[in-house]
Amino acid sequence: MTHPRLSLNQATIKYAPLDDALRVTADAGYSSIGLWREPVQEVGLAEAVKMVEGSGLRVSSMCRGGFFTLPEGPARRAAIDDNRRAIDETAAVGAPTLVLVAGGLVDGSRDLIGARSLVTDAVGELAEYAREAGVTLAIEALHPMYASDRAVISTLGQALDIAEQFDPEAVGVVVDTFHIWWDPQVLEQIARAGSTGRIASYQVCDWATPIAADALLSRHYPGDGVIDFGSLTDAVMATGYTGDIEVEIFNQPIWDSAWPDVARRTAEAFDAVVAPHLDPVATPVSAG
Amino acid sequence: MTHPRLSLNQATIKYAPLDDALRVTADAGYSSIGLWREPVQEVGLAEAVKMVEGSGLRVSSMCRGGFFTLPEGPARRAAIDDNRRAIDETAAVGAPTLVLVAGGLVDGSRDLIGARSLVTDAVGELAEYAREAGVTLAIEALHPMYASDRAVISTLGQALDIAEQFDPEAVGVVVDTFHIWWDPQVLEQIARAGSTGRIASYQVCDWATPIAADALLSRHYPGDGVIDFGSLTDAVMATGYTGDIEVEIFNQPIWDSAWPDVARRTAEAFDAVVAPHLDPVATPVSAG
């Protein structure tokens, strides 16, 4: 039985169109999936909503909004508008959470502190819109190796510093093991995130070296690397987090594998290293 | 004129034997060089000391000791002994500082917190030996992308947490722009390092993406990447740091370049982006 709190993030089977992704995920016994905007937009939002409803799956999150590090001007306005559409899409598919990736340094700039302010300002512009839509914006700290070109928010503490400026229903954070496992403050910041009601998503995948040639594709099945999922999962559970737990892996060999194999292998990995740290789940009474 | 506080770390011209490295550095007008143990050992310590004395250069630091993340046993004892030899070598060549790289996770272990304790314990074993030799051990926080396999100390704050347990003459930290530029706490931690007298070395090189295929070789000339050397150098200078400033670059194309060209290019880069943030230096009266 696939663990009832396990959600397959669609990026783990990146090349699957939405209908295939939903089918593969449901067939593998999952109860939940994390969606990405591109495959949803490919079929159109109305059709995507029908597909999701027909699948019987929960949608644990929508990926992704953000990329806020643009100076004021038409490009920034377009980004904010696009994030409003992302909030609408998140609400339409019934996901509680929109994951936000901050964006890197402003093109041609070395002003890291200024770039972070652009992120905070953008979240401030979107928070009320998200709250009214019933969507929590989840700020994701990305590993510091992505600080220059993808996300100027590099630690959970930093994500919380922004989130805590807003209503917890509107703005939370993602706890993603891959990005924050190395952080000397990780356990205290997870506790802080829990105590202020800010954990909007818990995502698990593993770190291993060497780093992949494309550093974005360096994520691994839980258990295939060096992350101690026990201590991190215990810390998240100690906060009372009751949501789904997503496995999101960017990895070319995994993307090149058969989707049902990936779904199965993901569930096995989750059962081996994450599930033992979750509260016991009532086992359905066997019909046999 | 090459800036009087600029030191060429020998790793920037990695393939140069000690005599060549000293000659190239002096010929390029530097007053200081940072040495590595391997090329020193290649000629033997007594001969190396003579070469250094003959060069007229200061030695700003010796690289490197550390690699402390071994469980108790013969391998750990050998590592501690080797670090004592490194302290002796550092003192012999007249360098004030031995740079320490912590080491990654213990082989086959996922216990990051335990690995960090092994580092603290080792520093504790060596601190008095270093103090008696007149050498400051400089704990270097490495970029979090090296946390699993090279250094479980990932932030300046973490390095200070260890250093501050010991005499400031015996244990300090390295402030290396490449490793810590992304840290949201970097400016306050530099100030903390200064206020407690812990900055044993300031090293500058730049960050750029994509990350090199060998992630260790992804360092660039100051100014060729995204790091704001102004704010970081201002912060270090505000602490009253008066030591040399090393440029240490691991980069295959730079290693493959002619050594005099690298020495000259390094000095130009330093003059362009770091030197303007140093206190004015008395200009020697021209003999012409």
Side-chain angles (χ1 to χ4, degrees):
Chain A
M1 166 195 165
T2 303
H3 196 284
R5 294 181 71 179
L6 170 60
S7 174
L8 185 65
N9 186 288
Q10 187 171 5
T12 306
I13 48 171
K14 179 185 171 80
Y15 303 133
L18 182 60
D19 55 351
D20 289 302
L22 292 165
R23 179 181 46 75
V24 164
T25 304
D27 286 355
Y30 287 70
S31 312
S32 185
I33 189 169
L35 296 182
W36 278 62
R37 295 184 70 199
E38 293 77 358
V40 164
Q41 291 171 349
E42 207 170 68
V43 300
L45 184 57
E47 182 62 23
V49 169
K50 275 189 222 161
M51 285 180 179
V52 168
E53 288 174 356
S55 74
L57 295 167
R58 291 189 300 279
V59 182
S60 48
S61 76
M62 177 75 93
C63 286
R64 61 197 181 183
F67 294 96
F68 293 134
T69 49
L70 297 158
E72 192 51 71
R76 181 173 179 83
R77 288 302 108 207
I80 298 288
D81 287 346
D82 187 54
N83 273 276
R84 288 201 187 90
R85 281 192 295 278
I87 292 167
D88 296 341
E89 292 163 8
T90 304
V93 300
T97 295
L98 173 65
V99 174
L100 299 184
V101 172
L105 290 167
V106 174
D107 272 353
S109 162
R110 294 183 172 89
D111 181 5
L112 191 54
I113 293 168
R116 291 173 182 147
S117 293
L118 291 171
V119 175
T120 305
D121 293 348
V123 172
E125 278 199 69
L126 293 165
E128 180 57 21
Y129 190 87
R131 201 191 57 74
E132 287 175 11
V135 168
T136 302
L137 303 173
I139 303 170
E140 182 161 25
L142 261 58
H143 193 284
M145 71 180 172
Y146 306 125
S148 63
D149 56 8
R150 188 144 302 250
V152 293
I153 307 300
S154 304
T155 66
L156 184 54
Q158 215 180 349
L160 287 166
D161 286 344
I162 299 175
E164 288 172 0
Q165 300 177 37
F166 307 100
D167 182 337
E169 288 181 16
V171 187
V173 298
V174 180
V175 174
D176 184 318
T177 57
F178 175 84
H179 293 303
I180 65 173
W181 72 277
W182 58 270
D183 184 349
Q185 299 175 350
V186 66
L187 296 180
E188 69 195 67
Q189 294 298 334
I190 289 173
R192 171 186 168 195
S195 70
T196 56
R198 300 288 173 173
I199 302 182
S201 177
Y202 180 40
Q203 299 189 343
V204 291
C205 74
D206 217 336
W207 173 277
T209 54
I211 297 167
D214 179 345
L216 284 175
L217 308 189
S218 204
R219 301 165 70 113
H220 299 271
Y221 287 119
D224 282 4
V226 300
I227 294 177
D228 177 8
F229 289 96
S231 66
L232 296 174
T233 302
D234 287 346
V236 172
M237 292 308 122
T239 69
Y241 177 76
T242 56
D244 290 332
I245 302 167
E246 286 188 19
V247 176
E248 182 190 52
I249 305 175
F250 307 162
N251 178 306
Q252 195 63 53
I254 293 175
W255 286 348
D256 292 338
S257 304
W259 305 325
D261 292 346
V262 173
R264 180 183 46 74
R265 177 82 179 75
T266 298
E268 289 169 0
F270 185 89
D271 284 348
V273 298
V274 179
H277 297 273
L278 304 178
D279 295 332
V281 175
T283 309
V285 177
S286 167
Chain B
M1 166 195 163
T2 302
H3 196 286
R5 293 182 71 180
L6 170 58
S7 174
L8 185 66
N9 186 289
Q10 187 172 3
T12 306
I13 48 171
K14 179 185 171 77
Y15 303 133
L18 182 60
D19 54 349
D20 290 301
L22 292 166
R23 180 182 45 75
V24 165
T25 303
D27 286 354
Y30 288 70
S31 313
S32 185
I33 190 169
L35 296 183
W36 278 62
R37 296 183 70 200
E38 293 78 357
V40 164
Q41 292 172 348
E42 208 171 70
V43 299
L45 184 57
E47 183 61 26
V49 168
K50 274 188 223 163
M51 285 180 178
V52 167
E53 288 173 355
S55 74
L57 294 168
R58 290 190 300 279
V59 182
S60 48
S61 75
M62 178 74 93
C63 286
R64 63 195 179 187
F67 295 96
F68 293 132
T69 49
L70 297 158
E72 191 51 70
R76 182 172 180 83
R77 286 303 107 206
I80 298 287
D81 287 346
D82 187 54
N83 273 277
R84 287 201 188 92
R85 280 192 296 277
I87 292 167
D88 295 341
E89 291 163 8
T90 304
V93 299
T97 295
L98 172 65
V99 174
L100 300 184
V101 172
L105 290 167
V106 174
D107 272 353
S109 162
R110 294 183 172 89
D111 181 5
L112 191 55
I113 292 168
R116 291 172 182 148
S117 293
L118 291 171
V119 176
T120 305
D121 292 348
V123 173
E125 277 197 71
L126 294 165
E128 180 57 20
Y129 190 88
R131 201 191 57 74
E132 286 174 12
V135 168
T136 303
L137 303 174
I139 303 170
E140 180 161 27
L142 260 57
H143 193 284
M145 71 180 174
Y146 306 125
S148 63
D149 56 8
R150 188 144 302 249
V152 294
I153 306 301
S154 304
T155 67
L156 184 53
Q158 214 180 350
L160 287 167
D161 286 344
I162 299 175
E164 288 171 1
Q165 299 176 38
F166 307 100
D167 182 336
E169 287 181 18
V171 187
V173 298
V174 180
V175 175
D176 184 318
T177 57
F178 175 84
H179 292 304
I180 65 172
W181 72 276
W182 59 269
D183 184 348
Q185 299 174 353
V186 67
L187 296 180
E188 70 196 66
Q189 294 298 335
I190 289 173
R192 171 187 168 196
S195 69
T196 56
R198 300 288 172 172
I199 302 182
S201 177
Y202 179 41
Q203 299 190 344
V204 292
C205 73
D206 216 336
W207 173 277
T209 55
I211 297 165
D214 179 343
L216 284 175
L217 308 189
S218 203
R219 302 165 70 114
H220 299 270
Y221 287 119
D224 281 4
V226 300
I227 293 178
D228 177 8
F229 289 96
S231 66
L232 296 174
T233 302
D234 288 346
V236 171
M237 292 309 122
T239 69
Y241 177 76
T242 56
D244 290 331
I245 302 168
E246 286 188 19
V247 176
E248 182 190 53
I249 306 175
F250 306 163
N251 176 307
Q252 194 64 54
I254 293 175
W255 286 348
D256 292 338
S257 303
W259 305 325
D261 291 347
V262 173
R264 180 184 46 73
R265 177 82 179 75
T266 297
E268 289 169 0
F270 185 88
D271 283 348
V273 300
V274 179
H277 298 272
L278 305 178
D279 294 333
V281 175
T283 309
V285 176
S286 168

